[in-house]
Amino acid sequence: MEPAIHEQDILIVGAGIAGLTTALGLHRLGIRSLVLESSDGLRTTGFALTMWTNAWIALDAVGIGDAVRAKSVTIQDFEVGSLDSSMTSPVQVHGTDFKLGKFESRCVRRTDLLEILERELPQGTIRYSSKIVAIDESGSFKLVHLADGSIFRTKALIGCDGVNSMVAKWLGLQSPVNAARSAIRGFVVYPEGHGFEPKLYAYFGGGVRYGFVPCEEKSIYWFCTFTPSLFKYDENERDPLKMKQFVMSKMGNAQKRVMELVERTELDCISCAPLKFRTPWNILFGNIVKNNVCVAGDALHPMTPDLGQGGCSAVEDGVVLARCLGEALSSSTVKEGDWDCVKMMKGLEKYAKERRWRSFSLVSIAYVVGFLQESDNKVVSFFRKRFLSRFTVEPFVRMADFDCGKLIATSSLT
């Protein structure tokens, strides 16, 4: 007996930041979607992420900006210093010093963001324990096969399924490449309060980039990016104690209380992962949309963390994608063939056009900034120390000075 086929107009793969933001954006426009998530609950990987101006504009567009703000503190200033003994006085920079547009930055716990997104969605929008094993075509529709034997037929398939996206592979996009760098990340809680000012702290030197940022008065997120080959570090090392020892050994002349951040981090709050990115040329010339299938978030533009834009750009993607689909579905200009399928294709093509160059820029600049900030080359180190704000703060602020636009109300798709 053949399995029943479930009908769903818009199917989203992955209940991460991009997937849930897209679903919420569509919901705000009165458009129903279903999110398929392979795990049995919200993803808990990753501790926190810094959300910049562009992310807050997008979060406000889907109506959850204030709810997320309530879980964090405002970051206005930056403290940038060196990990070697040749520079003992960190440079203080204010986020508005670059005279661009509005500036807003906060560090948000990933679970807080995902829980708020989930809470705002109608019950039943997310189908957990739903791992995709195959994607087929059936005329204008896509057939999505799940590991439990279920089959969904959909008019539009949106892949928000991360770096190892099955949807991206179906589109023919190349696999992300290894950046030859890794990141050790940690999250530390101070029950009585940590006492650090609400700043983004960043330090460089010796081939290492270390930094931390308070999420609120009692918790801090920290990170250390480095090139394993320079230190003969085993990329497969999974012992959190050794990760902690490695980071502390590379912190140079950091203040005692900065060292304490790493020292007092619980072992189950430390992780290490190699950094990957999609080549900019693959984003520019590859199929990021084809036959009513597209990708968003890390499935589209995995990038190194050197601009702090991974999560921010995923939220942007969700708003733009929802808006483009909403505009297309409310249009009455297309009246031939399968009406909704043709309309959705127009919407996805517009989304791809809007996001291709933005994604290309973010991935490219993040890679270059990471090289300049982390390089141990003497010439690069000299200019980095001389122009600290240009090498560190300015790229963050400039790339965050972006408005993805608002959602536009449309008629519902039933």
Side-chain angles (χ1 to χ4, degrees), residues 252-324:
N253 68 332
Q255 296 178 5
K256 182 179 178 181
R257 67 176 191 151
V258 173
M259 296 277 282
E260 274 185 358
L261 284 173
V262 179
E263 187 175 12
R264 68 182 295 162
T265 303
E266 299 291 337
L267 296 183
D268 60 353
C269 291
I270 299 177
S271 67
C272 181
L275 301 181
K276 296 184 177 182
F277 67 102
R278 189 175 301 290
T279 59
W281 307 116
N282 193 214
I283 293 173
L284 207 56
F285 300 113
N287 289 322
I288 63 176
V289 61
K290 180 177 72 173
N291 298 343
N292 281 34
V293 178
C294 75
V295 282
D298 280 346
L300 167 59
H301 45 59
M303 66 186 77
T304 59
D306 307 291
L307 290 176
Q309 279 291 334
C312 300
S313 55
V315 179
E316 280 185 22
D317 289 344
V319 172
V320 175
L321 186 45
R323 183 179 65 243
C324 289

Side-chain angles (χ1 to χ4, degrees), residues 11-24 33-45 110-119 121 124-132 158-162 167 296-299 314:
L11 208 57
I12 300 170
V13 184
I17 295 172
L20 295 186
T21 304
T22 302
L24 182 56
S33 64
L34 178 67
V35 181
L36 301 178
E37 170 55 41
S38 60
S39 64
D40 58 4
L42 283 178
R43 303 180 201 175
T44 57
T45 55
R110 185 179 293 269
T111 52
D112 287 340
L113 175 59
L114 292 177
E115 286 172 0
I116 291 171
L117 285 165
E118 181 190 44
R119 187 179 67 208
L121 288 168
T125 299
I126 308 173
R127 188 183 193 270
Y128 291 109
S129 301
S130 301
K131 182 178 180 177
I132 292 182
I158 302 170
C160 302
D161 45 342
V167 179
D298 280 346

Side-chain angles (χ1 to χ4, degrees), residues 182-331:
S182 292
I184 297 176
R185 300 177 173 97
F187 189 82
V188 57
V189 176
Y190 289 73
E192 304 303 322
H194 51 68
F196 283 94
E197 293 182 53
K199 300 179 183 179
L200 191 154
Y201 301 80
Y203 304 92
F204 311 92
V208 170
R209 172 178 173 266
Y210 170 79
F212 63 93
V213 57
C215 289
E216 33 77 34
E217 291 80 4
K218 295 184 178 181
S219 62
I220 289 180
Y221 168 64
W222 60 262
F223 56 87
C224 175
T225 60
F226 61 99
T227 303
S229 61
L230 290 179
F231 304 103
K232 297 182 179 179
Y233 184 88
D234 182 2
E235 288 187 84
N236 298 314
E237 178 59 69
R238 291 294 177 264
D239 184 344
L241 179 59
K242 291 183 179 179
M243 296 178 201
K244 178 188 289 192
Q245 291 170 342
F246 173 81
V247 175
M248 293 183 66
S249 71
K250 302 305 173 188
M251 294 179 68
N253 68 332
Q255 296 178 5
K256 182 179 178 181
R257 67 176 191 151
V258 173
M259 296 277 282
E260 274 185 358
L261 284 173
V262 179
E263 187 175 12
R264 68 182 295 162
T265 303
E266 299 291 337
L267 296 183
D268 60 353
C269 291
I270 299 177
S271 67
C272 181
L275 301 181
K276 296 184 177 182
F277 67 102
R278 189 175 301 290
T279 59
W281 307 116
N282 193 214
I283 293 173
L284 207 56
F285 300 113
N287 289 322
I288 63 176
V289 61
K290 180 177 72 173
N291 298 343
N292 281 34
V293 178
C294 75
V295 282
D298 280 346
L300 167 59
H301 45 59
M303 66 186 77
T304 59
D306 307 291
L307 290 176
Q309 279 291 334
C312 300
S313 55
V315 179
E316 280 185 22
D317 289 344
V319 172
V320 175
L321 186 45
R323 183 179 65 243
C324 289
L325 280 173
E327 290 173 348
L329 288 168
S330 66
S331 170

Side-chain angles (χ1 to χ4, degrees), residues 148-188:
D148 64 3
S150 302
I151 300 175
F152 283 84
R153 184 165 68 175
T154 185
K155 298 174 181 177
L157 178 62
I158 302 170
C160 302
D161 45 342
V163 175
N164 299 312
S165 168
M166 176 173 283
V167 179
K169 291 177 183 176
W170 186 90
L171 286 169
L173 291 171
Q174 299 169 2
S175 297
V177 299
N178 196 314
R181 297 166 57 211
S182 292
I184 297 176
R185 300 177 173 97
F187 189 82
V188 57

